[in-house]
Amino acid sequence: MAVSEQTLARTARVVDEAIATAIAVDGEIGIQVAAYLDGQLVVDCCGGRVADGADRPVAPDTLFPVFSVVKPVAATALHVQAERGLVDYDAPVARYWPEYGRYGKERTTLRDVLTHRAGVPQMPEGVTPERMCDWNWMVERIAELRPLAEPGSKTLYLSMTFGWIVGEIVRRTDPAHRSIGRFVREEIALPCGMEDLWIGVPDAQAPRLAQLR
Protein backbone atom coordinates (compact mmCIF):
# COMPACT_ATOMS: atom_id res chain seq x y z
CA MET A 1 0.00 0.00 0.00
CA ALA A 2 1.56 3.27 -1.12
CA VAL A 3 1.26 6.30 1.16
CA SER A 4 1.42 9.78 -0.27
CA GLU A 5 4.02 12.28 0.91
CA GLN A 6 1.18 14.56 1.97
CA THR A 7 -0.32 11.86 4.19
CA LEU A 8 3.08 11.07 5.70
CA ALA A 9 3.69 14.73 6.50
CA ARG A 10 0.24 15.14 8.05
CA THR A 11 0.70 11.99 10.14
CA ALA A 12 4.10 13.18 11.36
CA ARG A 13 2.58 16.53 12.41
CA VAL A 14 -0.14 14.78 14.41
CA VAL A 15 2.39 12.53 16.15
CA ASP A 16 4.74 15.45 16.86
CA GLU A 17 1.83 17.35 18.43
CA ALA A 18 0.92 14.33 20.58
CA ILE A 19 4.54 14.01 21.73
CA ALA A 20 4.69 17.71 22.61
CA THR A 21 1.47 17.43 24.62
CA ALA A 22 2.70 14.34 26.48
CA ILE A 23 5.87 16.19 27.47
CA ALA A 24 4.29 19.55 28.32
CA VAL A 25 1.08 18.33 29.96
CA ASP A 26 1.51 14.71 31.02
CA GLY A 27 4.99 14.94 32.49
CA GLU A 28 6.81 12.69 30.03
CA ILE A 29 10.53 13.42 29.67
CA GLY A 30 11.55 11.96 26.33
CA ILE A 31 9.63 9.99 23.73
CA GLN A 32 10.26 8.13 20.47
CA VAL A 33 7.52 6.92 18.12
CA ALA A 34 8.09 4.82 15.01
CA ALA A 35 5.53 3.00 12.90
CA TYR A 36 5.75 0.87 9.80
CA LEU A 37 3.14 0.17 7.13
CA ASP A 38 3.80 -2.72 4.77
CA GLY A 39 7.49 -2.56 5.63
CA GLN A 40 7.73 1.19 5.03
CA LEU A 41 8.70 3.52 7.88
CA VAL A 42 5.78 5.97 7.93
CA VAL A 43 6.28 7.60 11.35
CA ASP A 44 9.67 8.41 12.89
CA CYS A 45 9.24 11.13 15.50
CA CYS A 46 10.85 11.99 18.82
CA GLY A 47 10.92 14.77 21.35
CA GLY A 48 12.03 15.80 24.82
CA ARG A 49 15.26 15.19 26.66
CA VAL A 50 17.26 12.21 27.86
CA ALA A 51 17.17 11.77 31.64
CA ASP A 52 20.93 11.52 32.12
CA GLY A 53 21.75 14.87 33.66
CA ALA A 54 23.32 16.13 30.45
CA ASP A 55 20.08 17.58 29.03
CA ARG A 56 20.61 15.79 25.72
CA PRO A 57 17.69 15.90 23.29
CA VAL A 58 16.12 12.57 22.37
CA ALA A 59 17.25 11.51 18.89
CA PRO A 60 15.98 8.79 16.57
CA ASP A 61 18.97 6.64 17.56
CA THR A 62 18.61 7.12 21.33
CA LEU A 63 18.42 3.72 23.02
CA PHE A 64 15.58 3.32 25.51
CA PRO A 65 15.54 0.47 28.07
CA VAL A 66 12.59 -1.88 27.73
CA PHE A 67 11.24 -4.49 30.10
CA SER A 68 8.53 -7.09 29.56
CA VAL A 69 8.43 -6.57 25.80
CA VAL A 70 11.66 -8.62 25.78
CA LYS A 71 9.68 -11.68 26.95
CA PRO A 72 8.29 -12.41 23.47
CA VAL A 73 11.80 -11.98 22.05
CA ALA A 74 13.13 -14.56 24.51
CA ALA A 75 10.17 -16.81 23.72
CA THR A 76 10.98 -16.49 20.02
CA ALA A 77 14.49 -17.74 20.76
CA LEU A 78 13.00 -20.82 22.39
CA HIS A 79 10.66 -21.29 19.42
CA VAL A 80 13.73 -21.24 17.16
CA GLN A 81 15.16 -24.09 19.22
CA ALA A 82 11.87 -25.98 18.94
CA GLU A 83 11.78 -25.45 15.17
CA ARG A 84 15.27 -26.93 14.99
CA GLY A 85 14.17 -29.98 16.95
CA LEU A 86 16.35 -29.12 19.94
CA VAL A 87 13.54 -28.78 22.48
CA ASP A 88 10.06 -30.23 23.03
CA TYR A 89 7.43 -27.92 24.49
CA ASP A 90 5.92 -30.73 26.58
CA ALA A 91 9.25 -31.99 27.94
CA PRO A 92 10.22 -31.10 31.50
CA VAL A 93 12.60 -28.19 31.91
CA ALA A 94 14.82 -30.59 33.85
CA ARG A 95 15.52 -32.57 30.67
CA TYR A 96 17.58 -29.63 29.44
CA TRP A 97 18.46 -28.06 32.80
CA PRO A 98 18.72 -30.88 35.37
CA GLU A 99 19.38 -28.59 38.33
CA TYR A 100 15.98 -26.98 37.81
CA GLY A 101 14.11 -30.21 38.56
CA ARG A 102 13.99 -29.87 42.36
CA TYR A 103 11.71 -28.70 45.16
CA GLY A 104 8.44 -29.45 43.35
CA LYS A 105 9.57 -28.26 39.91
CA GLU A 106 10.45 -31.73 38.58
CA ARG A 107 7.47 -31.93 36.20
CA THR A 108 7.47 -28.28 35.07
CA THR A 109 7.38 -28.29 31.26
CA LEU A 110 8.59 -25.75 28.73
CA ARG A 111 4.95 -25.14 27.90
CA ASP A 112 4.30 -24.27 31.57
CA VAL A 113 7.08 -21.69 31.39
CA LEU A 114 5.92 -20.17 28.11
CA THR A 115 2.34 -19.88 29.41
CA HIS A 116 3.41 -18.47 32.80
CA ARG A 117 2.22 -21.55 34.67
CA ALA A 118 5.58 -22.58 36.14
CA GLY A 119 4.65 -21.25 39.58
CA VAL A 120 7.89 -19.34 40.26
CA PRO A 121 7.27 -15.61 39.62
CA GLN A 122 9.32 -14.57 42.66
CA MET A 123 12.87 -13.30 42.70
CA PRO A 124 15.43 -15.32 44.69
CA GLU A 125 16.27 -14.18 48.19
CA GLY A 126 19.27 -11.89 48.42
CA VAL A 127 18.99 -10.56 44.88
CA THR A 128 20.54 -7.17 44.19
CA PRO A 129 20.94 -5.14 40.98
CA GLU A 130 24.53 -6.36 40.79
CA ARG A 131 23.54 -10.00 41.22
CA MET A 132 20.86 -9.62 38.56
CA CYS A 133 23.74 -9.00 36.17
CA ASP A 134 25.44 -12.23 37.26
CA TRP A 135 23.80 -14.83 35.03
CA ASN A 136 25.19 -17.87 36.83
CA TRP A 137 24.16 -16.57 40.26
CA MET A 138 20.63 -15.91 39.05
CA VAL A 139 20.02 -19.25 37.36
CA GLU A 140 21.52 -21.18 40.27
CA ARG A 141 19.17 -19.43 42.70
CA ILE A 142 16.14 -19.73 40.40
CA ALA A 143 16.79 -23.48 40.23
CA GLU A 144 16.46 -23.51 44.02
CA LEU A 145 13.10 -21.71 44.10
CA ARG A 146 10.06 -23.52 45.44
CA PRO A 147 6.91 -22.96 43.37
CA LEU A 148 4.14 -20.86 44.87
CA ALA A 149 1.61 -23.08 43.09
CA GLU A 150 1.76 -26.54 41.54
CA PRO A 151 3.42 -26.09 38.11
CA GLY A 152 0.79 -26.21 35.39
CA SER A 153 -2.09 -25.61 37.79
CA LYS A 154 -2.58 -21.85 37.50
CA THR A 155 -1.22 -18.74 35.85
CA LEU A 156 1.28 -16.75 37.88
CA TYR A 157 2.89 -14.16 35.61
CA LEU A 158 6.64 -14.80 35.51
CA SER A 159 7.32 -11.08 35.61
CA MET A 160 10.76 -11.45 37.19
CA THR A 161 12.04 -14.92 36.23
CA PHE A 162 10.86 -15.57 32.66
CA GLY A 163 13.98 -14.30 30.92
CA TRP A 164 16.41 -16.31 33.01
CA ILE A 165 14.43 -19.55 32.76
CA VAL A 166 13.92 -19.31 29.01
CA GLY A 167 17.41 -17.94 28.46
CA GLU A 168 19.05 -20.78 30.35
CA ILE A 169 17.09 -23.39 28.38
CA VAL A 170 18.18 -21.71 25.15
CA ARG A 171 21.79 -21.57 26.30
CA ARG A 172 21.87 -25.21 27.31
CA THR A 173 20.24 -26.45 24.12
CA ASP A 174 22.25 -24.27 21.76
CA PRO A 175 25.17 -26.30 20.32
CA ALA A 176 27.35 -23.19 20.74
CA HIS A 177 26.03 -22.53 24.28
CA ARG A 178 25.50 -18.87 23.48
CA SER A 179 24.01 -16.50 26.03
CA ILE A 180 20.43 -15.41 25.37
CA GLY A 181 21.75 -11.96 24.43
CA ARG A 182 24.17 -13.30 21.84
CA PHE A 183 21.65 -15.86 20.55
CA VAL A 184 18.98 -13.21 20.02
CA ARG A 185 21.49 -10.87 18.41
CA GLU A 186 22.80 -13.46 15.94
CA GLU A 187 19.67 -15.48 15.24
CA ILE A 188 16.86 -12.91 15.45
CA ALA A 189 17.86 -9.25 15.64
CA LEU A 190 20.49 -8.96 12.91
CA PRO A 191 18.77 -11.31 10.42
CA CYS A 192 15.61 -9.19 10.82
CA GLY A 193 17.48 -5.89 10.45
CA MET A 194 16.96 -4.87 14.10
CA GLU A 195 20.46 -3.55 14.73
CA ASP A 196 19.49 -1.73 17.92
CA LEU A 197 17.86 -4.66 19.70
CA TRP A 198 20.15 -5.74 22.53
CA ILE A 199 19.80 -7.96 25.58
CA GLY A 200 22.79 -6.55 27.40
CA VAL A 201 23.93 -3.33 25.76
CA PRO A 202 27.66 -3.28 24.87
CA ASP A 203 29.81 -0.64 26.52
CA ALA A 204 30.40 1.04 23.17
CA GLN A 205 26.65 1.75 22.87
CA ALA A 206 26.23 3.05 26.41
CA PRO A 207 26.49 6.77 25.45
CA ARG A 208 23.30 6.34 23.41
CA LEU A 209 21.27 5.09 26.39
CA ALA A 210 18.49 7.04 28.01
CA GLN A 211 18.58 6.65 31.78
CA LEU A 212 15.57 5.81 33.89
CA ARG A 213 14.33 8.42 36.33
Side-chain angles (χ1 to χ4, degrees), residues 163-181:
W164 281 284
I165 297 173
V166 171
E168 185 66 2
I169 297 168
V170 170
R171 188 186 70 83
R172 290 184 179 232
T173 58
D174 176 28
H177 301 293
R178 288 169 289 181
S179 67
I180 185 66

Side-chain angles (χ1 to χ4, degrees), residues 23 32 45 61 80 111 114 127 129 150 157 165 178:
I23 293 169
Q32 290 172 326
C45 301
D61 67 344
V80 169
R111 193 179 299 276
L114 288 170
V127 70
E150 179 71 21
Y157 178 49
I165 297 173
R178 288 169 289 181

Side-chain angles (χ1 to χ4, degrees), residues 180-203:
I180 185 66
R182 183 181 163 198
F183 187 97
V184 165
R185 186 76 180 160
E186 295 176 357
E187 300 287 350
I188 299 171
L190 292 181
C192 292
M194 297 183 289
E195 295 186 1
D196 284 337
L197 174 62
W198 306 89
I199 300 179
V201 178
D203 291 343

Side-chain angles (χ1 to χ4, degrees), residues 77-115:
L78 192 55
H79 295 322
V80 169
Q81 296 298 76
E83 186 177 67
R84 293 172 176 172
L86 297 172
V87 299
D88 178 347
Y89 294 124
D90 293 310
V93 173
R95 176 184 296 180
Y96 312 106
W97 179 6
E99 299 89 339
Y100 187 88
R102 297 179 291 174
Y103 310 121
K105 305 192 302 300
E106 293 83 353
R107 293 190 297 275
T108 306
T109 66
L110 274 64
R111 193 179 299 276
D112 291 333
V113 174
L114 288 170
T115 57

